[in-house]
Amino acid sequence: MSTDPTLARDLAAAATLRGSFLLRSGTIADTYFDKYRFEGDPALLRRLADAMLALVPAETQLLAGLELGGVPIATAMSLASGLPAVFVRKQAKSYGTCLAVEGGDVTGKRVLLVEDVISTGGAIADAVPLVRAAGAQIIGVVCAIWRGDGAPGITVMPDLPVRAAFTRAVRRS
């Protein structure tokens, strides 16, 4: 559990924008949560990485940051913990190494997926087959913020443990 009592407030203050925003759904909102605002702030990112590291299972051998938002968080967690990190593309690139999982060999390793914000888990569901195809054993997911309904979890992968540093209301979960 985080020993940083002001982190949730500071994340919300950095990332909550007011104005007129077109959402992916096509609706207009007067507030927008821009997660890249806290991912790009070194002090906040360090504090968030520390809070998320408290959720990492002891058997974890590799952190796997999902493109795009999971990459800076996994990197910060790696720097703070010494655990190696790899990076998961949305699809294998068509040139060079032609890999979907970059940064090192994951074969036979116990891998924890790292994501910034999860609402439905679609990006996780897309990444899992890519990481497994690379030979990894996925032991779970850790995210900064769970925005979905109910307890953190991926509906299409109910056996995959999901741990969240914060919930949609940006409170400690």
Side-chain angles (χ1 to χ4, degrees):
M1 183 174 248
S2 175
T3 58
D4 189 338
T6 61
L7 179 56
R9 182 194 68 215
D10 295 344
L11 291 173
T16 303
L17 305 177
R18 307 253 183 252
S20 180
F21 302 94
L22 177 64
L23 303 180
R24 186 183 315 184
S25 65
T27 61
I28 302 293
D30 60 359
T31 60
Y32 183 76
F33 189 78
D34 185 354
K35 61 193 177 186
Y36 298 112
R37 296 283 179 119
F38 65 75
E39 291 178 10
D41 180 313
L44 276 177
L45 184 59
R46 181 180 303 113
R47 292 168 59 201
L48 178 61
D50 289 342
M52 291 175 67
L53 281 169
L55 304 174
V56 174
E59 68 271 18
T60 302
Q61 294 177 296
L62 284 171
L63 301 168
L66 274 61
E67 181 184 351
L68 173 67
V71 170
I73 296 172
T75 301
M77 291 171 69
S78 176
L79 286 167
S81 69
L83 282 168
V86 295
F87 311 105
V88 183
R89 294 178 177 277
K90 292 180 182 179
Q91 63 185 28
K93 63 183 184 178
S94 61
Y95 57 92
T97 60
C98 300
L99 297 173
V101 180
E102 300 277 5
D105 185 12
V106 300
T107 306
K109 301 283 188 217
R110 292 181 301 277
V111 173
L112 183 68
L113 302 180
V114 177
E115 183 61 302
D116 53 5
V117 178
I118 300 176
S119 296
T120 63
I124 299 293
D126 291 344
V128 164
L130 298 172
V131 178
R132 286 185 176 150
Q137 175 191 353
I138 300 171
I139 61 169
V141 178
V142 65
C143 68
I145 301 170
W146 169 255
R147 285 185 22 182
D149 294 326
I154 311 303
T155 304
V156 297
M157 299 177 166
D159 295 331
L160 185 64
V162 178
R163 295 170 183 88
F166 300 98
T167 64
R168 175 186 352 202
V170 195
R171 284 177 269 157
R172 187 78 179 123
S173 59

mmCIF file of all heavy atoms in Angstrom, residues 51-88:
data_model
loop_
_atom_site.group_PDB
_atom_site.id
_atom_site.type_symbol
_atom_site.label_atom_id
_atom_site.label_comp_id
_atom_site.label_asym_id
_atom_site.label_seq_id
_atom_site.Cartn_x
_atom_site.Cartn_y
_atom_site.Cartn_z
ATOM 1 N N ALA A 51 4.222 3.573 -5.916
ATOM 2 C CA ALA A 51 2.929 3.047 -5.475
ATOM 3 C C ALA A 51 2.590 1.753 -6.213
ATOM 4 O O ALA A 51 2.084 0.796 -5.613
ATOM 5 C CB ALA A 51 1.831 4.083 -5.694
ATOM 6 N N MET A 52 2.895 1.689 -7.504
ATOM 7 C CA MET A 52 2.589 0.495 -8.282
ATOM 8 C C MET A 52 3.534 -0.652 -7.943
ATOM 9 O O MET A 52 3.128 -1.820 -7.980
ATOM 10 C CB MET A 52 2.594 0.829 -9.767
ATOM 11 C CG MET A 52 1.419 1.717 -10.158
ATOM 12 S SD MET A 52 1.437 2.265 -11.874
ATOM 13 C CE MET A 52 1.169 0.712 -12.748
ATOM 14 N N LEU A 53 4.760 -0.350 -7.591
ATOM 15 C CA LEU A 53 5.700 -1.404 -7.213
ATOM 16 C C LEU A 53 5.222 -2.160 -5.980
ATOM 17 O O LEU A 53 5.517 -3.351 -5.826
ATOM 18 C CB LEU A 53 7.100 -0.834 -6.986
ATOM 19 C CG LEU A 53 7.882 -0.560 -8.255
ATOM 20 C CD1 LEU A 53 9.132 0.250 -7.958
ATOM 21 C CD2 LEU A 53 8.223 -1.859 -8.985
ATOM 22 N N ALA A 54 4.471 -1.506 -5.123
ATOM 23 C CA ALA A 54 3.928 -2.179 -3.944
ATOM 24 C C ALA A 54 2.927 -3.270 -4.336
ATOM 25 O O ALA A 54 2.615 -4.141 -3.520
ATOM 26 C CB ALA A 54 3.261 -1.164 -3.022
ATOM 27 N N LEU A 55 2.439 -3.253 -5.575
ATOM 28 C CA LEU A 55 1.454 -4.221 -6.056
ATOM 29 C C LEU A 55 2.077 -5.350 -6.878
ATOM 30 O O LEU A 55 1.369 -6.242 -7.342
ATOM 31 C CB LEU A 55 0.409 -3.500 -6.909
ATOM 32 C CG LEU A 55 -0.312 -2.331 -6.239
ATOM 33 C CD1 LEU A 55 -1.200 -1.610 -7.244
ATOM 34 C CD2 LEU A 55 -1.106 -2.813 -5.042
ATOM 35 N N VAL A 56 3.382 -5.314 -7.072
ATOM 36 C CA VAL A 56 4.064 -6.296 -7.910
ATOM 37 C C VAL A 56 4.251 -7.607 -7.147
ATOM 38 O O VAL A 56 4.845 -7.610 -6.070
ATOM 39 C CB VAL A 56 5.431 -5.745 -8.389
ATOM 40 C CG1 VAL A 56 6.211 -6.816 -9.144
ATOM 41 C CG2 VAL A 56 5.227 -4.508 -9.262
ATOM 42 N N PRO A 57 3.751 -8.721 -7.704
ATOM 43 C CA PRO A 57 3.954 -10.012 -7.049
ATOM 44 C C PRO A 57 5.446 -10.352 -6.952
ATOM 45 O O PRO A 57 6.228 -10.036 -7.849
ATOM 46 C CB PRO A 57 3.243 -11.011 -7.972
ATOM 47 C CG PRO A 57 2.276 -10.183 -8.770
ATOM 48 C CD PRO A 57 2.928 -8.833 -8.909
ATOM 49 N N ALA A 58 5.819 -11.006 -5.878
ATOM 50 C CA ALA A 58 7.230 -11.326 -5.617
ATOM 51 C C ALA A 58 7.846 -12.182 -6.712
ATOM 52 O O ALA A 58 9.050 -12.084 -6.966
ATOM 53 C CB ALA A 58 7.356 -12.032 -4.262
ATOM 54 N N GLU A 59 7.046 -13.004 -7.387
ATOM 55 C CA GLU A 59 7.589 -13.913 -8.403
ATOM 56 C C GLU A 59 7.831 -13.250 -9.756
ATOM 57 O O GLU A 59 8.298 -13.882 -10.703
ATOM 58 C CB GLU A 59 6.684 -15.137 -8.564
ATOM 59 C CG GLU A 59 5.312 -14.864 -9.162
ATOM 60 C CD GLU A 59 4.233 -14.518 -8.136
ATOM 61 O OE1 GLU A 59 4.555 -14.148 -6.986
ATOM 62 O OE2 GLU A 59 3.047 -14.606 -8.500
ATOM 63 N N THR A 60 7.548 -11.962 -9.873
ATOM 64 C CA THR A 60 7.717 -11.238 -11.137
ATOM 65 C C THR A 60 9.182 -11.208 -11.556
ATOM 66 O O THR A 60 10.058 -10.847 -10.782
ATOM 67 C CB THR A 60 7.198 -9.792 -11.008
ATOM 68 O OG1 THR A 60 5.820 -9.834 -10.619
ATOM 69 C CG2 THR A 60 7.351 -9.023 -12.310
ATOM 70 N N GLN A 61 9.435 -11.568 -12.810
ATOM 71 C CA GLN A 61 10.786 -11.513 -13.372
ATOM 72 C C GLN A 61 10.963 -10.376 -14.372
ATOM 73 O O GLN A 61 12.073 -9.903 -14.563
ATOM 74 C CB GLN A 61 11.121 -12.846 -14.060
ATOM 75 C CG GLN A 61 11.219 -14.008 -13.100
ATOM 76 C CD GLN A 61 11.473 -15.303 -13.830
ATOM 77 O OE1 GLN A 61 10.649 -15.757 -14.618
ATOM 78 N NE2 GLN A 61 12.633 -15.892 -13.568
ATOM 79 N N LEU A 62 9.885 -9.973 -15.009
ATOM 80 C CA LEU A 62 9.929 -8.905 -16.011
ATOM 81 C C LEU A 62 8.674 -8.052 -15.930
ATOM 82 O O LEU A 62 7.583 -8.581 -15.703
ATOM 83 C CB LEU A 62 9.984 -9.487 -17.432
ATOM 84 C CG LEU A 62 11.272 -10.070 -17.955
ATOM 85 C CD1 LEU A 62 11.023 -10.772 -19.290
ATOM 86 C CD2 LEU A 62 12.315 -8.998 -18.129
ATOM 87 N N LEU A 63 8.834 -6.770 -16.162
ATOM 88 C CA LEU A 63 7.718 -5.845 -16.302
ATOM 89 C C LEU A 63 7.507 -5.615 -17.792
ATOM 90 O O LEU A 63 8.478 -5.368 -18.514
ATOM 91 C CB LEU A 63 8.031 -4.518 -15.613
ATOM 92 C CG LEU A 63 8.340 -4.599 -14.118
ATOM 93 C CD1 LEU A 63 8.908 -3.274 -13.630
ATOM 94 C CD2 LEU A 63 7.103 -4.992 -13.346
ATOM 95 N N ALA A 64 6.276 -5.680 -18.253
ATOM 96 C CA ALA A 64 5.983 -5.495 -19.674
ATOM 97 C C ALA A 64 5.044 -4.312 -19.850
ATOM 98 O O ALA A 64 3.842 -4.412 -19.592
ATOM 99 C CB ALA A 64 5.369 -6.760 -20.270
ATOM 100 N N GLY A 65 5.579 -3.182 -20.283
ATOM 101 C CA GLY A 65 4.792 -1.974 -20.496
ATOM 102 C C GLY A 65 4.074 -2.017 -21.817
ATOM 103 O O GLY A 65 4.692 -2.271 -22.853
ATOM 104 N N LEU A 66 2.751 -1.766 -21.785
ATOM 105 C CA LEU A 66 1.965 -1.761 -23.009
ATOM 106 C C LEU A 66 2.055 -0.406 -23.694
ATOM 107 O O LEU A 66 2.012 0.635 -23.035
ATOM 108 C CB LEU A 66 0.501 -2.086 -22.705
ATOM 109 C CG LEU A 66 0.142 -3.569 -22.658
ATOM 110 C CD1 LEU A 66 0.893 -4.317 -21.596
ATOM 111 C CD2 LEU A 66 -1.341 -3.742 -22.509
ATOM 112 N N GLU A 67 2.154 -0.447 -25.018
ATOM 113 C CA GLU A 67 2.178 0.755 -25.844
ATOM 114 C C GLU A 67 0.876 1.525 -25.642
ATOM 115 O O GLU A 67 -0.194 0.916 -25.641
ATOM 116 C CB GLU A 67 2.319 0.340 -27.306
ATOM 117 C CG GLU A 67 2.385 1.468 -28.272
ATOM 118 C CD GLU A 67 2.417 1.004 -29.732
ATOM 119 O OE1 GLU A 67 2.561 -0.183 -30.019
ATOM 120 O OE2 GLU A 67 2.277 1.875 -30.592
ATOM 121 N N LEU A 68 0.862 2.708 -25.416
ATOM 122 C CA LEU A 68 1.894 3.709 -25.253
ATOM 123 C C LEU A 68 2.057 4.065 -23.773
ATOM 124 O O LEU A 68 3.156 4.229 -23.287
ATOM 125 C CB LEU A 68 1.541 4.937 -26.092
ATOM 126 C CG LEU A 68 2.381 6.174 -25.976
ATOM 127 C CD1 LEU A 68 3.777 6.006 -26.508
ATOM 128 C CD2 LEU A 68 1.694 7.319 -26.678
ATOM 129 N N GLY A 69 0.946 4.150 -23.072
ATOM 130 C CA GLY A 69 0.984 4.654 -21.699
ATOM 131 C C GLY A 69 1.690 3.775 -20.697
ATOM 132 O O GLY A 69 2.208 4.258 -19.698
ATOM 133 N N GLY A 70 1.721 2.460 -20.929
ATOM 134 C CA GLY A 70 2.396 1.561 -20.004
ATOM 135 C C GLY A 70 3.903 1.621 -20.090
ATOM 136 O O GLY A 70 4.605 1.211 -19.160
ATOM 137 N N VAL A 71 4.429 2.132 -21.199
ATOM 138 C CA VAL A 71 5.883 2.155 -21.401
ATOM 139 C C VAL A 71 6.599 3.071 -20.411
ATOM 140 O O VAL A 71 7.546 2.639 -19.744
ATOM 141 C CB VAL A 71 6.228 2.494 -22.871
ATOM 142 C CG1 VAL A 71 7.714 2.754 -23.045
ATOM 143 C CG2 VAL A 71 5.770 1.358 -23.781
ATOM 144 N N PRO A 72 6.197 4.337 -20.240
ATOM 145 C CA PRO A 72 6.919 5.161 -19.271
ATOM 146 C C PRO A 72 6.762 4.667 -17.840
ATOM 147 O O PRO A 72 7.703 4.745 -17.041
ATOM 148 C CB PRO A 72 6.331 6.565 -19.442
ATOM 149 C CG PRO A 72 5.061 6.390 -20.177
ATOM 150 C CD PRO A 72 5.187 5.119 -20.971
ATOM 151 N N ILE A 73 5.596 4.112 -17.517
ATOM 152 C CA ILE A 73 5.388 3.615 -16.159
ATOM 153 C C ILE A 73 6.261 2.390 -15.902
ATOM 154 O O ILE A 73 6.911 2.285 -14.862
ATOM 155 C CB ILE A 73 3.901 3.319 -15.901
ATOM 156 C CG1 ILE A 73 3.081 4.610 -15.978
ATOM 157 C CG2 ILE A 73 3.717 2.658 -14.535
ATOM 158 C CD1 ILE A 73 1.578 4.405 -15.918
ATOM 159 N N ALA A 74 6.290 1.444 -16.849
ATOM 160 C CA ALA A 74 7.130 0.254 -16.688
ATOM 161 C C ALA A 74 8.599 0.648 -16.591
ATOM 162 O O ALA A 74 9.358 0.063 -15.808
ATOM 163 C CB ALA A 74 6.911 -0.716 -17.849
ATOM 164 N N THR A 75 9.006 1.649 -17.357
ATOM 165 C CA THR A 75 10.394 2.115 -17.311
ATOM 166 C C THR A 75 10.715 2.700 -15.942
ATOM 167 O O THR A 75 11.757 2.382 -15.351
ATOM 168 C CB THR A 75 10.648 3.153 -18.418
ATOM 169 O OG1 THR A 75 10.373 2.549 -19.693
ATOM 170 C CG2 THR A 75 12.076 3.651 -18.395
ATOM 171 N N ALA A 76 9.824 3.526 -15.422
ATOM 172 C CA ALA A 76 10.036 4.116 -14.098
ATOM 173 C C ALA A 76 10.062 3.036 -13.022
ATOM 174 O O ALA A 76 10.887 3.079 -12.103
ATOM 175 C CB ALA A 76 8.955 5.149 -13.793
ATOM 176 N N MET A 77 9.167 2.055 -13.137
ATOM 177 C CA MET A 77 9.144 0.952 -12.173
ATOM 178 C C MET A 77 10.433 0.141 -12.250
ATOM 179 O O MET A 77 10.973 -0.288 -11.232
ATOM 180 C CB MET A 77 7.927 0.056 -12.424
ATOM 181 C CG MET A 77 6.600 0.714 -12.102
ATOM 182 S SD MET A 77 5.163 -0.264 -12.643
ATOM 183 C CE MET A 77 5.265 -1.662 -11.503
ATOM 184 N N SER A 78 10.933 -0.054 -13.462
ATOM 185 C CA SER A 78 12.177 -0.793 -13.659
ATOM 186 C C SER A 78 13.352 -0.057 -13.029
ATOM 187 O O SER A 78 14.186 -0.665 -12.336
ATOM 188 C CB SER A 78 12.414 -0.996 -15.162
ATOM 189 O OG SER A 78 13.656 -1.618 -15.407
ATOM 190 N N LEU A 79 13.424 1.238 -13.259
ATOM 191 C CA LEU A 79 14.509 2.042 -12.678
ATOM 192 C C LEU A 79 14.483 2.004 -11.154
ATOM 193 O O LEU A 79 15.520 1.928 -10.511
ATOM 194 C CB LEU A 79 14.410 3.485 -13.163
ATOM 195 C CG LEU A 79 14.825 3.734 -14.606
ATOM 196 C CD1 LEU A 79 14.391 5.130 -15.049
ATOM 197 C CD2 LEU A 79 16.316 3.554 -14.766
ATOM 198 N N ALA A 80 13.279 2.051 -10.584
ATOM 199 C CA ALA A 80 13.152 2.082 -9.128
ATOM 200 C C ALA A 80 13.394 0.722 -8.480
ATOM 201 O O ALA A 80 13.862 0.650 -7.346
ATOM 202 C CB ALA A 80 11.769 2.597 -8.736
ATOM 203 N N SER A 81 13.093 -0.359 -9.203
ATOM 204 C CA SER A 81 13.144 -1.697 -8.599
ATOM 205 C C SER A 81 14.324 -2.549 -9.041
ATOM 206 O O SER A 81 14.694 -3.493 -8.350
ATOM 207 C CB SER A 81 11.863 -2.455 -8.940
ATOM 208 O OG SER A 81 11.821 -2.763 -10.335
ATOM 209 N N GLY A 82 14.863 -2.248 -10.208
ATOM 210 C CA GLY A 82 15.894 -3.113 -10.768
ATOM 211 C C GLY A 82 15.330 -4.266 -11.585
ATOM 212 O O GLY A 82 16.089 -5.031 -12.184
ATOM 213 N N LEU A 83 13.990 -4.402 -11.640
ATOM 214 C CA LEU A 83 13.386 -5.429 -12.489
ATOM 215 C C LEU A 83 13.531 -5.000 -13.947
ATOM 216 O O LEU A 83 13.267 -3.838 -14.281
ATOM 217 C CB LEU A 83 11.897 -5.583 -12.176
ATOM 218 C CG LEU A 83 11.522 -6.364 -10.935
ATOM 219 C CD1 LEU A 83 10.039 -6.173 -10.607
ATOM 220 C CD2 LEU A 83 11.834 -7.834 -11.134
ATOM 221 N N PRO A 84 13.934 -5.905 -14.820
ATOM 222 C CA PRO A 84 14.023 -5.541 -16.235
ATOM 223 C C PRO A 84 12.635 -5.254 -16.820
ATOM 224 O O PRO A 84 11.629 -5.773 -16.329
ATOM 225 C CB PRO A 84 14.624 -6.776 -16.906
ATOM 226 C CG PRO A 84 14.941 -7.736 -15.840
ATOM 227 C CD PRO A 84 14.353 -7.270 -14.558
ATOM 228 N N ALA A 85 12.611 -4.458 -17.866
ATOM 229 C CA ALA A 85 11.361 -4.123 -18.550
ATOM 230 C C ALA A 85 11.454 -4.474 -20.024
ATOM 231 O O ALA A 85 12.530 -4.417 -20.619
ATOM 232 C CB ALA A 85 11.045 -2.633 -18.388
ATOM 233 N N VAL A 86 10.312 -4.856 -20.568
ATOM 234 C CA VAL A 86 10.149 -5.027 -22.004
ATOM 235 C C VAL A 86 8.942 -4.199 -22.402
ATOM 236 O O VAL A 86 8.195 -3.723 -21.544
ATOM 237 C CB VAL A 86 9.975 -6.512 -22.409
ATOM 238 C CG1 VAL A 86 11.237 -7.306 -22.113
ATOM 239 C CG2 VAL A 86 8.766 -7.142 -21.737
ATOM 240 N N PHE A 87 8.752 -4.045 -23.703
ATOM 241 C CA PHE A 87 7.711 -3.160 -24.198
ATOM 242 C C PHE A 87 6.876 -3.890 -25.235
ATOM 243 O O PHE A 87 7.420 -4.511 -26.150
ATOM 244 C CB PHE A 87 8.343 -1.886 -24.765
ATOM 245 C CG PHE A 87 9.337 -1.315 -23.791
ATOM 246 C CD1 PHE A 87 10.697 -1.440 -24.008
ATOM 247 C CD2 PHE A 87 8.906 -0.729 -22.604
ATOM 248 C CE1 PHE A 87 11.615 -0.960 -23.087
ATOM 249 C CE2 PHE A 87 9.813 -0.249 -21.675
ATOM 250 C CZ PHE A 87 11.173 -0.366 -21.917
ATOM 251 N N VAL A 88 5.558 -3.796 -25.089
ATOM 252 C CA VAL A 88 4.634 -4.553 -25.922
ATOM 253 C C VAL A 88 3.962 -3.621 -26.922
ATOM 254 O O VAL A 88 3.226 -2.709 -26.532
ATOM 255 C CB VAL A 88 3.567 -5.266 -25.055
ATOM 256 C CG1 VAL A 88 2.656 -6.125 -25.928
ATOM 257 C CG2 VAL A 88 4.229 -6.094 -23.958
#
